[in-house]
Amino acid sequence: MIHKIITIAIIAFACIADLSAVSHKGVLLLPEKVAAVKKKASSDTLYRNGVNSIISTADALIRKPDITKVDYLGMAWLLTDDKRYADCAKDILLKNAKASSWADKEMMMRNPPWQAELNTAHKIFAVANAYDAIYGTLPPKSARRLQTGITALR
């Protein structure tokens, strides 16, 4: 399990680059770095296993969506150009953008309601990376709904 996590972390951090070179200022998953990962995966077993792990996780998310792992769908989209991943990520993000809070229902039912929890940071990270990954596939209306909805979450 730790090997899988390390492999995925290596691939994610390999995608970090200078943000000034792109028109949509993404966070991690920049086109030139994704291309480098794809190329490396064709000849390096560690990278290939990491890419396959990302794709397997994304396939499972198509069957059972999970906001905390939506970034896997974004990465799978960038690594495969399979629109199913981008479409599923968009659906998950749009559903999340309709929520009233980043916190789970259980946390909001506490007295006083908790506006955040440890899982909140993970959700925000996953949402930001998925949004950046699929940004180019979003119709302007969907992009605006996501921007408005996500920023309105408490």
Side-chain angles (χ1 to χ4, degrees):
M1 178 64 172
I2 191 72
H3 181 69
K4 180 179 176 182
I5 293 170
I6 291 170
T7 302
I8 292 168
I10 289 169
I11 290 172
F13 287 114
C15 295
I16 298 173
D18 178 17
L19 297 179
S20 64
V22 293
S23 58
H24 171 71
K25 292 186 177 358
V27 179
L28 295 176
L29 307 172
L30 302 171
E32 64 276 6
K33 294 300 181 176
V34 172
V37 168
K38 286 181 183 181
K39 184 176 179 181
K40 185 93 169 162
S42 68
S43 62
D44 185 301
T45 304
L46 182 64
Y47 273 73
R48 185 170 37 258
N49 289 343
V51 167
N52 289 340
S53 178
I54 290 166
I55 292 168
S56 293
T57 301
D59 287 338
L61 289 168
I62 288 174
R63 293 185 298 277
K64 187 177 179 193
D66 180 353
I67 190 66
T68 64
K69 296 181 181 176
V70 70
D71 50 339
Y72 282 85
L73 290 162
M75 287 187 283
W77 153 246
L78 294 174
L79 292 167
T80 66
D81 296 324
D82 185 337
K83 190 88 162 52
R84 293 177 308 138
Y85 299 124
D87 290 342
C88 186
K90 179 182 79 171
D91 292 344
I92 292 170
L93 293 175
L94 285 170
K95 181 180 177 187
N96 186 70
K98 293 177 185 175
S100 61
S101 171
W102 287 104
D104 292 332
K105 289 178 185 177
E106 175 189 343
M107 297 299 145
M108 294 303 292
M109 291 179 0
R110 292 180 181 221
N111 189 11
W114 289 19
Q115 300 298 319
E117 57 181 307
L118 282 176
N119 205 27
T120 304
H122 183 71
K123 285 180 189 176
I124 292 169
F125 181 81
V127 166
N129 284 307
Y131 176 80
D132 283 344
I134 68 165
Y135 180 82
T137 70
L138 294 171
K141 185 176 179 179
S142 292
R144 279 191 301 280
R145 281 195 340 219
L146 285 173
Q147 292 161 0
T148 303
I150 290 170
T151 57
L153 290 172
R154 317 178 263 139

